[in-house]
């Protein structure tokens, strides 16, 4: 009887394993590759963002005007335009007189 | 091919269906999906492949990692009780088992499955490792972190009980 039970147990476990042969699972190493690629993409994006920030800060240091808000820029341009117009008008009047 | 790749290939080609069976038979009360548990185990095996001591059989190390991982999951589960919990060993039928498979199985398989469900988890583990993996008692003791004497006793007890039940049903 002992031998019969031994045989039955072997058959039982073999059958249970056979029933679980599908579906195949992905090799974790492949998942790691995918994970590694995704990590590199994220790292690249972060590096690009940091680079842009660095370039823009360097640019601002050399171009102080660019640190002004747009309203101030427009005001300066208008002042310049008014001064030029004033100068043109005054010169013309001076010549006429 | 490095030794590490060779071990990983062996794990992938030889151990996936047996590990599924090992989880189903012994840790059916884990709430997590079996395939997720299997993936977690495989990731652990990949990450810890350098800790494998090749003086021992690869199967010994694989099942020890799988067993410890499943026991950790069960411990975590106990700390976070869920309403869907099943009693230990109640469900042995794989979620992948189709109705056709069940019909095709012979009566002995069904009877043995019912008997297995009534055995304590440790005894089921011993039987699986002994009869499917053909491990020695020493190897089983290593997987289960138990003394060899205890493993022998568990095997004897489980087999005697199955034998008695089998004879009763004849």
């Amino acid at each position: 009887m002992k031998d019969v039970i031994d045989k039955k147990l072997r058959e039982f476990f073999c059958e249970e394993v056979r029933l679980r042969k599908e579906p195949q699972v992905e090799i974790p190493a492949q998942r790691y590759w995918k994970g590694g690629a995704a990590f590199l993409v994220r790292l690249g994006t972060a590096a690009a963002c940091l680079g842009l920030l660095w370039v823009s800060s360097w640019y601002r240091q050399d171009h102080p005007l660019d640190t002004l808000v747009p309203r101030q820029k427009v005001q300066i341009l208008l002042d310049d335009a008014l001064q030029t117009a004033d100068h043109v008008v005054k010169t013309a009047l001076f010549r006429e007189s | 091919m490095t030794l590490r790749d060779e071990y990983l290939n062996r794990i992938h080609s030889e151990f996936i269906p047996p590990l599924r069976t090992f989880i189903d038979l012994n840790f059916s009360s884990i709430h997590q999906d079996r395939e997720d548990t299997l993936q977690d185990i495989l990731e652990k095996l990949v990450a810890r492949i350098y800790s494998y001591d090749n003086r021992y059989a690869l199967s010994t190390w694989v099942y020890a990692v799988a067993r410890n991982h499943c026991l950790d999951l069960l411990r975590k589960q106990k700390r976070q009780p869920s309403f869907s919990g099943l009693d230990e060993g109640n469900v042995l039928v794989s979620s992948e088992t189709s109705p056709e498979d069940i019909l095709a199985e012979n009566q002995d398989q069904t009877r043995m499955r019912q008997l297995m469900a009534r055995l304590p988890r440790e005894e089921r583990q011993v039987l699986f490792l002994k009869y499917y993996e053909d491990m020695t008692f020493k190897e089983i003791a290593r997987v289960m972190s138990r003394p060899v004497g205890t493993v022998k006793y568990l095997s004897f007890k489980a087999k005697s009980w199955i034998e008695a039940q089998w004879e009763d049903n004849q």
Side-chain angles (χ1 to χ4, degrees):
Chain A
M1 191 63 188
K2 283 241 187 250
D3 290 344
V4 176
I5 296 297
D6 280 351
K7 192 168 165 264
K8 295 279 174 210
L9 280 168
R10 279 184 211 287
E11 283 171 0
F12 168 74
F13 288 123
C14 284
E15 182 62 11
E16 290 295 305
V17 171
R18 192 194 63 80
L19 288 171
R20 289 164 178 85
K21 284 232 160 103
E22 295 293 328
Q24 270 300 321
V25 294
E26 209 174 356
I27 307 169
Q30 288 174 346
R31 282 180 62 176
Y32 277 120
W33 275 115
K34 281 183 198 167
F39 173 74
L40 282 176
V41 168
R42 280 185 205 138
L43 194 73
T45 312
C49 288
L50 281 172
L52 276 173
L53 275 173
W54 181 76
V55 167
S56 69
S57 70
W58 167 77
Y59 184 78
R60 279 177 187 211
Q61 273 176 355
D62 281 5
H63 300 79
L65 188 68
D66 287 305
T67 57
L68 298 172
V69 294
R71 191 176 55 80
Q72 288 171 315
K73 283 183 195 170
V74 171
Q75 204 170 351
I76 288 167
L77 286 171
L78 274 173
D79 285 348
D80 280 353
L82 281 172
Q83 272 178 10
T84 312
D86 185 52
H87 178 75
V88 169
V89 169
K90 276 181 183 165
T91 312
L93 283 173
F94 179 75
R95 275 186 187 166
E96 272 184 22
S97 63
Chain B
M1 190 189 275
T2 64
L3 209 56
R4 176 185 175 273
D5 292 337
E6 196 187 310
Y7 294 144
L8 291 177
N9 278 344
R10 267 191 67 197
I11 291 170
H12 191 249
S13 58
E14 290 173 29
F15 288 98
I16 288 171
L19 277 174
R20 276 196 191 112
T21 316
F22 184 74
I23 298 167
D24 280 348
L25 290 180
N26 302 301
F27 299 99
S28 58
S29 51
I30 289 176
H31 299 162
Q32 191 186 34
D33 180 65
R34 183 245 277 151
E35 289 303 300
D36 291 340
T37 309
L38 180 67
Q39 273 296 347
D40 292 342
I41 292 169
L42 293 174
E43 279 172 19
K44 267 192 182 172
L45 293 170
V46 170
R48 296 177 187 178
I49 194 77
Y50 293 109
S51 71
Y52 165 58
D53 181 349
N54 59 11
R55 281 177 300 167
Y56 304 99
L58 184 64
S59 57
T60 319
W61 179 71
V62 168
Y63 284 106
V65 171
R67 183 178 179 270
N68 290 336
H69 178 80
C70 291
L71 289 175
D72 281 347
L73 279 181
L74 284 179
R75 263 182 235 121
K76 276 181 201 159
Q77 237 173 246
K78 271 185 192 163
R79 272 181 255 138
Q80 301 163 330
S82 156
F83 294 107
S84 60
L86 294 162
D87 288 334
E88 186 183 316
N90 270 4
V91 178
L92 284 175
V93 181
S94 154
S95 55
E96 310 297 335
T97 313
S98 67
E100 291 79 19
D101 286 334
I102 294 167
L103 281 173
E105 281 172 31
N106 58 39
Q107 272 190 326
D108 284 356
Q109 191 72 13
T110 314
R111 271 178 61 200
M112 192 60 90
R113 194 177 280 161
Q114 285 163 351
L115 292 177
M116 282 286 160
R118 288 165 61 194
L119 275 180
R121 181 188 296 140
E122 285 207 315
E123 292 177 24
R124 278 199 302 263
Q125 282 174 29
V126 172
L127 291 182
F128 178 80
L129 297 173
K130 186 169 185 273
Y131 288 98
Y132 183 74
E133 287 294 341
D134 276 326
M135 281 188 192
T136 61
F137 287 126
K138 211 173 161 185
E139 286 173 328
I140 299 172
R142 219 180 136 73
V143 172
M144 297 178 70
S145 311
R146 291 291 206 129
V148 180
T150 310
V151 171
K152 278 184 186 169
Y153 168 71
L154 289 172
S155 169
F156 173 77
K157 192 171 154 240
K159 214 179 129 188
S160 305
W161 183 80
I162 286 179
E163 204 179 316
Q165 296 296 315
W166 200 266
E167 277 173 354
D168 284 353
N169 287 337
Q170 287 292 338

